[in-house]
């Protein structure tokens, strides 16, 4: 068992020597920003029935129930601020270290922290989209419609149903984003996984794809995942703390240490 400092140094050294670094984030990175993991007990998903995409299209009652849940979630997401983990990933990108950031999260906190190369494979809660013509709105505009008591908002252009720009249960994963995500995972030599229990496909296959392509894996997650054995460095500590320490180590010492070069890390 290695100490926390040793694991930080090991992870930092992977970052120092890597040419293409990809990060993949899940709900666990945003819990420190006060956004509840939808799988955790007592979360919004416990109090509302899951509405599939097909139900959303077919039933007004389902749409109204779905928008009521989203109206409640809005308050949580609109008030949330990026935490140290989001800021550290944005800093890694600014340092020219991070080539792409794949996220399962729909909260938009990576962009708010300053990250640019973000691939949102589950879409975003910050926008709404007409399911018929594709017109988009900032979510705040739809929120004010909901607050006026209308829970079945329609497109002013084509009368189509308006839906948050997230990927719902029963809805296909976005093709462009998934292709990009797999290309990133296949082309990287270091893969950070932060805050996902890796239970859900296709996201769970991204670290496997990276590993098969020869990348080293660094996992930062509170609980164990089915792929922990593949990780070169494993953290159970807070994502904010871990990423902050890695960035500090890089700022202190940007170049690989000689000892690590010799042993081929
Ligand atoms: Zn429309």
């Amino acid at each position: 068992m290695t100490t926390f400092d040793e694991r930080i140094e090991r992870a930092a050294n992977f970052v120092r020597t890597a040419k293409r670094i990809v990060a993949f984030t899940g709900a666990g990175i945003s819990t420190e920003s006060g956004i509840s993991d939808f799988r955790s007990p007592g979360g919004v998903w416990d109090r509302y029935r899951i509405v599939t995409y097909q139900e959303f299209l077919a039933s007004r009652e389902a749409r109204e129930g779905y928008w009521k849940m989203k109206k409640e979630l809005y308050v949580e997401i609109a008030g949330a601020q990026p935490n140290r983990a989001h800021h550290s990933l944005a800093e890694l990108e600014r340092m020219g270290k991070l080539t792409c950031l794949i996220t399962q999260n729909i909260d938009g906190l990576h962009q708010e922290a300053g990250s640019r190369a973000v691939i949102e494979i589950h879409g975003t809660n910050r926008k709404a989209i007409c399911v018929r013509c594709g017109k988009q709105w900032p979510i705040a505009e739809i929120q004010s419609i909901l607050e006026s008591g209308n829970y079945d908002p329609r497109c002013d252009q084509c009368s189509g149903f308006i839906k948050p720009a997230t990927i719902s249960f029963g809805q296909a994963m976005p093709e462009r984003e998934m292709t990009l995500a797999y290309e990133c995972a296949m082309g990287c030599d270091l893969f950070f996984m932060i805050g996902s229990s890796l239970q859900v496909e296709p996201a769970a296959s991204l670290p496997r794809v990276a590993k098969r392509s020869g990348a080293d894996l660094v996992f930062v997650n509170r609980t164990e995942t089915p792929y922990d054995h593949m990780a070169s460095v494993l953290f159970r500590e807070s994502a904010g703390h871990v990423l902050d320490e890695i960035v500090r180590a890089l700022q202190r010492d940007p170049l690989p240490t000689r000892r690590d070069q010799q042993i081929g890390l």
Side-chain angles (χ1 to χ4, degrees), residues 85-105:
H86 297 103
H87 287 300
S88 298
L89 288 173
E91 181 58 27
L92 283 176
E93 188 180 328
R94 276 192 293 271
M95 291 164 85
K97 285 295 180 184
L98 196 67
T99 52
C100 112
L101 204 175
I102 306 161
T103 187
Q104 290 181 283
N105 299 340

Side-chain angles (χ1 to χ4, degrees), residues 149-165:
N150 175 7
Y151 288 101
D152 189 16
R154 300 296 176 91
C155 176
D156 55 6
Q157 217 161 254
C158 76
S159 305
F161 305 138
I162 299 176
K163 194 189 155 296

Side-chain angles (χ1 to χ4, degrees), residues 146-206:
L146 303 177
E147 278 163 4
S148 75
N150 175 7
Y151 288 101
D152 189 16
R154 300 296 176 91
C155 176
D156 55 6
Q157 217 161 254
C158 76
S159 305
F161 305 138
I162 299 176
K163 194 189 155 296
T166 54
I167 307 301
S168 297
F169 290 96
Q171 194 173 3
M173 295 294 283
E175 210 173 302
R176 184 177 158 271
E177 278 77 6
M178 284 314 296
T179 305
L180 276 173
Y182 279 110
E183 279 172 8
C184 284
M186 279 187 281
C188 73
D189 53 3
L190 181 58
F191 186 97
F192 270 89
M193 187 291 284
I194 303 141
S196 170
S197 47
L198 300 177
Q199 305 288 340
V200 184
E201 289 293 346
S205 58
L206 288 167

Side-chain angles (χ1 to χ4, degrees), residues 10 14 190-191 193 198 201 204-219 225-234 236:
R10 187 138 195 256
F14 276 125
L190 181 58
F191 186 97
M193 187 291 284
L198 300 177
E201 289 293 346
S205 58
L206 288 167
R208 290 204 309 269
V209 165
K211 182 77 178 179
R212 249 201 324 268
S213 308
D216 288 297
L217 309 184
V218 176
F219 282 9
T225 82
Y227 308 108
D228 283 355
H229 61 280
M230 292 183 177
S232 300
V233 193
L234 193 60
R236 295 265 181 259

Side-chain angles (χ1 to χ4, degrees), residues 1 7 11-12 22 39 47-48 90 107 168 173 222 226 242 244:
M1 188 67 187
R7 282 177 289 136
V22 166
R39 285 188 195 84
R47 283 175 282 130
Y48 289 93
D107 52 39
S168 297
M173 295 294 283
R222 291 283 190 190
V242 169
D244 211 23

